[in-house]
Amino acid sequence: MLALRLVRGSHPLVQLRRLLVAAAAAGVGFLLLCTLGYAVGHPEHSAASALRLLWCALPIAATVQFAVAVARTDPATRPRPGLSSIGLGPARLTAIAATSTAVACTLGSMVALLVYLHLRGDITGLPFDGAAAGLLAADQPLPLAAALTLLAIVPVAGAVAAGLALRPRTGTPAPEGAARPVPNGLPWGVALVAVGLAVETYAGRGGDSGVALPGRFDGSPTGVLAGWILTAAGLALAGPGLTHLCGRLLQTARPGAVRLLAGRVLMDEATRIGRPLGVVCAVLSGTLAAATVYAAGDGGTAFGPLTGLGAGVVLACTTATLLSAALESRQCRAHTAEALARLGAPPTVLRTAALLRAGALLALFLPLTWLVGELAALPLTA
């Protein structure tokens, strides 16, 4: 009940972020229900049904990541002085954050179930002249237990991930003014990207039969898919290191106060900003590779509606996660901004530093995304 009261009394922007989490959960829930409908309508294609369910893991992971990012920026779950005296210590606040995440995801799952039942005609008859009847297996009974089990995946995973991310951490606190450790994942990330591209190239020349994927990727070589996964994991792992490198480069060649401030912030926030930035880079490079492969094809049938929905959920969730991480970084730097204001620093200093940080990140990650996307698509277009 306390979690529900905190949710109801939150700021409208906080409520909007929770509604976005619910919308993402609704999209993933609808994908899962459509996968179940395909399995019910095509019992002879069990392998294809399992593959469709496996590919739902990407939207699920993106939605859970976004839910955790929203929980981290929720003011209701931030420890404040005096809350422990009324029973709201760090552990209780973590439980409230997990409960709020579960409530938002459950709301989205229930909306997905209602929309799915409506399109199947189980509530008020078949809409749109039965256009979605074949896609949703409207002529077959829906196994309710299986549907509820699939719909529970996102709320349970989101609540568990939020609880683990916000759990109280024990140990000796860092001294005042001490830096964050330097991210050490850059060499491993570069190695994974190189290995992934090499595996894609080798598999693309091998010409194996491969597996059937949604959209226009029927018969894609298995090694190419494995290479894409390795490349995406490498970009996500190298993101913090690349962000830290951007901050260091901003401070080279006799920097002024603004460049020093921008570079230092990037170095301090490398892990918080770099990891979701690397994920966005991986998603965009994969999207670019998919678009390149489709453009090089014979111009046949475009991606199906479910493929587009899944890609849209992944793109929206990863981008929103990056924006939430930037918001969290801004909240953590609030005391620094207040200190600079008390010292008489003009407001333009903070704005110029923010523009420098954004420009440095775009200058590094945009060419990297384009290069990796083109190299990833090369084995399938050559």
Side-chain angles (χ1 to χ4, degrees):
M1 292 301 296
L2 179 58
L4 292 177
R5 290 180 180 178
L6 291 175
V7 167
R8 188 179 58 183
S10 300
H11 192 272
L13 290 179
V14 179
Q15 300 282 28
L16 176 61
R17 292 198 293 269
R18 290 171 179 155
L19 288 178
L20 291 177
V21 172
V28 176
F30 188 79
L31 284 175
L32 292 172
L33 290 176
C34 290
T35 302
L36 177 62
Y38 180 86
V40 171
H42 304 81
E44 69 280 2
H45 297 158
S46 58
S49 301
L51 184 61
R52 286 170 177 260
L53 183 61
L54 179 62
W55 277 101
C56 290
L58 293 178
I60 290 174
T63 301
V64 170
Q65 184 193 25
F66 178 44
V68 171
V70 170
R72 292 176 66 95
T73 58
D74 194 341
T77 61
R78 192 175 303 120
R80 291 183 295 272
L83 290 181
S84 298
S85 60
I86 59 173
L88 292 178
R92 186 73 180 277
L93 290 177
T94 300
I96 291 176
T99 304
S100 301
T101 303
V103 168
C105 294
T106 303
L107 175 62
S109 297
M110 293 299 102
V111 171
L113 180 60
L114 290 177
V115 172
Y116 184 79
L117 293 177
H118 174 65
L119 293 178
R120 276 174 49 93
D122 295 336
I123 299 179
T124 58
L126 282 173
F128 309 114
D129 297 329
L135 182 64
L136 306 181
D139 57 338
Q140 300 290 334
L142 179 68
L144 187 59
L148 294 180
T149 301
L150 290 177
L151 290 176
I153 292 177
V154 175
V156 172
V160 171
L164 292 176
L166 299 177
R167 70 186 185 278
R169 286 166 171 83
T170 59
T172 304
E176 184 71 21
R180 291 191 175 191
V182 178
N184 55 4
L186 182 57
W188 295 103
V190 173
L192 276 179
V193 171
V195 171
L197 293 176
V199 169
E200 291 177 39
T201 304
Y202 180 79
R205 293 177 179 176
D208 58 341
S209 58
V211 295
L213 299 181
R216 286 186 40 82
F217 294 104
D218 294 337
S220 299
T222 309
V224 172
L225 303 179
W228 278 10
I229 294 175
L230 288 175
T231 302
L235 288 174
L237 187 61
L242 292 174
T243 304
H244 192 274
L245 178 62
C246 283
R248 189 174 293 277
L249 292 177
L250 277 177
Q251 301 176 76
T252 58
R254 304 179 63 181
V258 177
R259 277 207 290 152
L260 278 174
L261 178 62
R264 187 60 183 178
V265 168
L266 276 183
M267 293 174 63
D268 290 343
E269 303 293 333
T271 301
R272 181 180 288 116
I273 296 294
R275 188 168 290 119
L277 188 57
V279 173
V280 170
C281 181
V283 171
L284 290 179
S285 63
T287 304
L288 177 61
T292 304
V293 172
Y294 174 71
D298 55 1
T301 305
F303 299 114
L306 299 183
T307 305
L309 176 59
V313 169
V314 172
L315 283 172
C317 287
T318 51
T319 304
T321 300
L322 178 59
L323 296 177
S324 299
L327 177 61
E328 182 187 4
S329 176
R330 181 181 179 183
Q331 292 174 349
C332 294
R333 297 195 314 271
H335 64 283
T336 303
E338 294 174 357
L340 290 175
R342 287 195 302 266
L343 291 175
T348 55
V349 171
L350 296 177
R351 290 196 292 266
T352 306
L355 290 177
L356 276 177
R357 294 195 301 271
L361 293 175
L362 289 176
L364 178 62
F365 279 92
L366 280 183
L368 178 64
T369 301
W370 175 83
L371 179 62
V372 173
E374 290 294 328
L375 291 177
L378 188 59
L380 295 179
T381 57

